[in-house]
Amino acid sequence: MKYSFSQFLRHLQFYLGGDQPSVSWLERVRAVSGAFIGLILVFVTAKYLGELSGIDEWLMASLGASALLVFALPGSPMAQPWAVIAGNTISALIGISCIHLIDQPLLALPTAASMSILGMFILRCLHPPAAAVSLIVVLGHIGSYRYAIFPVMVDSVLLILAGAVYSNLTGKPYPNSPPR
């Protein structure tokens, strides 16, 4: 069967984002503004808390990916408070444990990511950016379990609070209500 060039382009479009839903500009601006405001609030608060407690580590790099879910997809099960907070925290704990138990980084990295995914399955808190948290911990040689509490858990809680306030003020209910 022969394809015309236009049929080929339509077929190819699927692989170049054609499966993504259309999003209005108003919703794009709402999500982007929320992520900006939310991340600024988290960064300023976490930096202040870090300085107050004398801790230099006050930020986790995967927070931007978590913000995408919380502000752009607030209805997603992977953006709900339990998923964000527990997913990020368990992944940090697993990554730190891998540093202590596995000497080889090439083995510690995939072990940390895969075990964090297993931990999230077990705790029912799947949050894709959390798998990156475990990798960041191993790559950064972060060996202190305190890191799982601050900045990981604290930053996650702050992001959820900012997301809840912003989403509800802009007409997006967050977090989701449990089914009745």
Side-chain angles (χ1 to χ4, degrees):
M1 176 177 203
K2 288 189 172 184
Y3 282 105
S4 70
F5 185 68
S6 64
Q7 288 172 320
F8 173 73
L9 287 179
R10 272 196 304 275
H11 180 74
L12 186 63
Q13 178 184 358
F14 173 81
Y15 298 103
L16 299 174
D19 61 336
Q20 295 289 307
S22 178
V23 178
S24 73
W25 274 100
L26 182 61
E27 180 59 22
R28 292 175 190 184
V29 169
R30 189 202 71 75
V32 169
S33 298
F36 180 81
I37 293 166
L39 287 170
I40 285 282
L41 290 171
V42 171
F43 294 163
V44 168
T45 305
K47 178 117 172 88
Y48 174 74
L49 291 173
E51 289 173 356
L52 201 62
S53 59
I55 298 173
D56 289 335
E57 301 152 333
W58 54 271
L59 173 65
M60 60 173 191
S62 64
L63 204 61
S66 293
L68 180 140
L69 288 169
V70 169
F71 291 98
L73 300 168
S76 169
M78 295 180 188
Q80 299 311 302
W82 175 250
V84 176
I85 297 166
N88 283 333
T89 304
I90 191 71
S91 294
L93 290 169
I94 289 169
I96 294 163
S97 295
C98 284
I99 287 174
H100 293 293
L101 298 172
I102 303 170
D103 290 337
Q104 292 295 326
L106 289 178
L107 184 57
L109 286 162
T111 301
S114 59
M115 289 297 102
S116 71
I117 293 168
L118 177 61
M120 288 186 281
F121 268 126
I122 291 168
L123 295 177
R124 299 177 54 101
C125 59
L126 287 174
H127 182 64
V133 170
S134 64
L135 294 175
I136 291 164
V137 166
V138 173
L139 286 170
H141 306 288
I142 300 167
S144 171
Y145 284 98
R146 180 222 17 100
Y147 183 83
I149 303 302
F150 184 76
V152 174
M153 188 175 73
V154 170
D155 285 1
S156 298
V157 168
L158 292 171
L159 185 70
I160 291 301
L161 292 173
V165 170
Y166 183 82
S167 289
N168 286 290
L169 286 175
T170 59
K172 291 276 185 180
Y174 179 81
N176 285 349
S177 299
R180 294 175 197 239

